[in-house]
Amino acid sequence: MHAMRAGARTGIMAVVCAVLLAAVSIFSSEAQAMKVQEVKSPGGISAWLVESHTVPLVSMRFGFEGGGSVQDPAGKEGLANYLGSMLDEGAGDLPSKAFQERMEDLAMRMSFDEGRDAFFGSFETLTEYRDEAVKLLALALAKPRFDAEAIERMRKSHLASLSYAARDPQRVASEQWMAQAFAGHPYGRPTNGTSASVASITASDLKGFHGRALARDNLRVVVVGDIDAAALGKMLDTVFGGLPAKAALAPIAKAEASASEKLKVIDMNVPQSVVRFGLPAMARSDTDFMPAFVLNAILGGSSFTSRLYQEVREKRGLAYGVDTSLLPMRYSSVFYGGVATKNEAVGQSLDVIRSELKRIATDGPTEKEMADTKSYLTGSFALRFDSNSNIANQLLWMLMEGLGHGYLETRNAQVDAVTIDDVRRAARRLFDGADLLVTVVGRPQGLGQGG
């Protein structure tokens, strides 16, 4: 039976690799054809543009660097998140209902969302409605109303969401791990806030955050679709010209994930415990970041083929899945993972995970793991660019990370250039002698305390 399953996995992997190799070939030609223009408006606002006139649609993604939830004042946690829900709830002379109806009339989409390190916006419009849709977006950004009725309606929505999240072990585990790892730092605060903090947020708070965090100097913009550079220049000034010239962001200190107590258990009456674990990691600017990226994929970032998936699920049947990520943030970076398993298997699952981290720090990966993982990473990269909106998302990520649009052509070569010695070195830096920070939500049994 195990041989049959192994053979099936080998066959599946062969098909996946063939598909990904084909995707690499397609992407290589499309990436060369995907010309990224650097556009500057008459008013001095910069953007990246990919012209594509095959579909009469314009997609815009933008972000305000440093303007995310790290800027929430103490006691007002969730403020950036709250602002994201308010910008399309009326602007200029249009109250919420009229604003939403106008959006429907124009068949446009806009949304706003906060990250820890930035505040984001998304906008899509058909070419025929572009001029009017752009005006509506400009109103939302420059002249939000923050009417009392809309504020209270959205407050109820946020409080209901928080109430639901408090019963979700996945959400609680993730939030509590950050609180454990970054106690006393803005990263340790709940991005969606608490019932008390959300209840305290006022129109004045929203206006203040809006005025401080959304400005032209920390703005990054990407546009993909049916528009040329000249028209985009005018559009940029229309949309963003009404914002302040400079943001007034509070300084945020660099931080490293750490905790005096390495294990935190939050009691919740659930049949399956949820575990989050992690360690400090290298920044994106570190020369070992790409080797660490490949290492993470070998360990837990490439789904069914990863080492942890095989050891925890396939060989021992301890959990349905286990995954890891390398998360570079603006003020820190972490290696971060998760597993969910029955309460009596939590201790054994963590023991296996710890053992595998130590083993790869000592022995490094195998040549086959290197080859399979690099093929997966280079092949799957193409799948991120399958639509105008996804192209815009990926380009904004590159712009916000300071990678430059040349990363499109060099990224796969960077992955291929990583050697097994590079990965061994990154593994030693990350895991040699390291003691995992662990948060468990549930009623776990048999927890090992080892590092």
Side-chain angles (χ1 to χ4, degrees):
M1 181 66 179
H2 287 296
M4 290 175 64
R5 288 171 65 187
R9 288 198 302 272
T10 301
I12 291 170
M13 280 304 300
V15 173
V16 170
C17 287
V19 171
L20 292 179
L21 285 172
V24 170
S25 175
I26 294 169
F27 175 70
S28 296
S29 59
E30 288 187 348
Q32 292 173 359
M34 190 191 301
K35 180 183 177 183
V36 180
Q37 303 176 60
E38 297 185 10
V39 176
K40 180 165 282 192
S41 75
I45 299 170
S46 298
W48 286 359
L49 167 65
V50 175
E51 280 191 56
S52 176
H53 301 288
T54 55
V55 177
L57 183 71
V58 175
S59 296
M60 175 191 287
R61 301 291 184 270
F62 52 93
F64 296 91
E65 285 191 345
S69 63
V70 291
Q71 293 295 317
D72 289 349
K76 298 289 183 179
E77 293 83 6
L79 180 55
N81 177 262
Y82 207 140
L83 178 65
S85 68
M86 289 298 304
L87 292 184
D88 64 353
E89 288 288 336
D93 59 355
L94 297 174
S96 178
K97 183 179 179 181
F99 190 94
Q100 295 289 331
E101 289 174 346
R102 184 62 176 149
M103 284 179 61
E104 291 183 14
D105 290 343
L106 296 172
M108 63 174 289
R109 289 188 291 185
M110 76 168 75
S111 63
F112 304 92
D113 188 26
E114 106 292 347
R116 292 187 186 277
D117 294 325
F119 188 89
F120 296 98
S122 172
F123 169 75
E124 290 181 333
T125 179
L126 294 169
T127 304
E128 65 177 301
Y129 300 129
R130 187 182 71 204
D131 291 346
E132 291 303 309
V134 161
K135 292 177 184 177
L136 205 60
L137 176 62
L139 271 184
L141 283 169
K143 298 180 179 180
R145 291 172 63 98
F146 303 128
D147 291 333
E149 180 278 328
I151 289 175
E152 293 310 314
R153 177 163 40 80
M154 295 312 300
R155 192 190 313 279
K156 290 179 181 177
S157 176
H158 285 291
L159 290 172
S161 178
L162 287 172
S163 177
Y164 176 81
R167 301 188 297 272
D168 179 353
Q170 301 276 352
R171 290 277 297 274
V172 173
S174 298
E175 185 175 285
Q176 288 299 314
W177 189 88
M178 291 296 291
Q180 176 190 8
F182 293 102
H185 189 274
Y187 282 158
R189 301 174 187 167
T191 59
N192 291 341
T194 65
S195 296
S197 67
V198 168
S200 75
I201 290 172
T202 66
S204 178
D205 295 325
L206 292 163
K207 291 174 184 175
F209 191 100
H210 175 266
R212 293 191 305 271
L214 278 60
R216 299 196 301 276
D217 68 330
N218 65 331
L219 171 67
R220 306 293 179 262
V221 186
V222 169
V223 177
V224 178
D226 187 24
I227 191 169
D228 60 25
L232 175 57
K234 295 176 182 177
M235 186 173 87
L236 291 172
D237 285 342
T238 299
V239 173
F240 303 109
L243 293 174
K246 292 186 179 296
L249 302 176
I252 305 296
K254 296 283 186 179
E256 182 174 287
S258 64
S260 56
E261 295 185 17
K262 302 299 182 182
L263 174 65
K264 181 176 183 179
V265 178
I266 294 96
D267 182 75
M268 186 177 288
N269 187 16
V270 288
Q272 180 171 269
S273 287
V274 174
V275 182
R276 294 291 181 265
F277 57 87
L279 291 165
M282 49 281 286
R284 185 175 293 282
S285 58
D286 193 296
T287 54
D288 275 340
F289 180 83
M290 189 58 78
F293 176 72
V294 175
L295 167 66
N296 171 72
I298 291 170
L299 273 172
S302 56
S303 189
F304 307 113
T305 62
S306 71
R307 182 180 286 196
L308 290 179
Y309 186 90
Q310 292 298 315
E311 295 295 329
V312 174
R313 172 174 171 158
E314 291 295 297
K315 291 184 180 180
R316 296 172 177 84
L318 294 172
Y320 283 110
V322 57
D323 61 87
T324 62
S325 302
L326 196 62
L327 302 177
M329 299 178 284
R330 189 177 180 90
Y331 305 104
S332 189
S333 186
V334 295
F335 169 82
Y336 180 76
V339 63
T341 186
K342 55 189 177 182
N343 287 323
E344 57 268 31
V346 173
Q348 188 181 356
S349 297
L350 279 168
D351 287 345
V352 172
I353 291 167
R354 289 180 173 119
S355 175
E356 287 306 312
L357 299 188
K358 289 180 179 178
R359 185 162 74 93
I360 205 165
T362 302
D363 302 334
T366 67
E367 294 285 358
K368 185 176 188 305
E369 284 176 322
M370 285 290 293
D372 288 348
T373 299
K374 287 161 76 170
S375 292
Y376 170 81
L377 290 174
T378 54
S380 60
F381 189 54
L383 306 179
R384 303 182 188 183
F385 300 87
D386 59 354
S387 68
N388 281 0
S389 60
N390 284 341
I391 291 170
N393 288 335
Q394 288 299 310
L395 289 178
L396 179 63
W397 167 75
M398 292 178 199
L399 182 56
M400 299 285 282
E401 291 289 326
L403 296 173
H405 52 75
Y407 186 77
L408 279 169
E409 287 76 36
T410 66
R411 185 269 193 182
N412 279 355
Q414 292 180 42
V415 171
D416 281 331
V418 173
T419 67
I420 196 167
D421 286 338
D422 293 332
V423 172
R424 286 172 177 153
R425 183 180 63 252
R428 288 193 298 270
R429 284 185 62 186
L430 282 170
F431 307 132
D432 194 12
D435 193 0
L436 281 179
L437 304 181
V438 178
T439 299
V440 185
V441 176
R443 293 184 174 170
Q445 301 170 22
L447 274 181
Q449 302 288 327

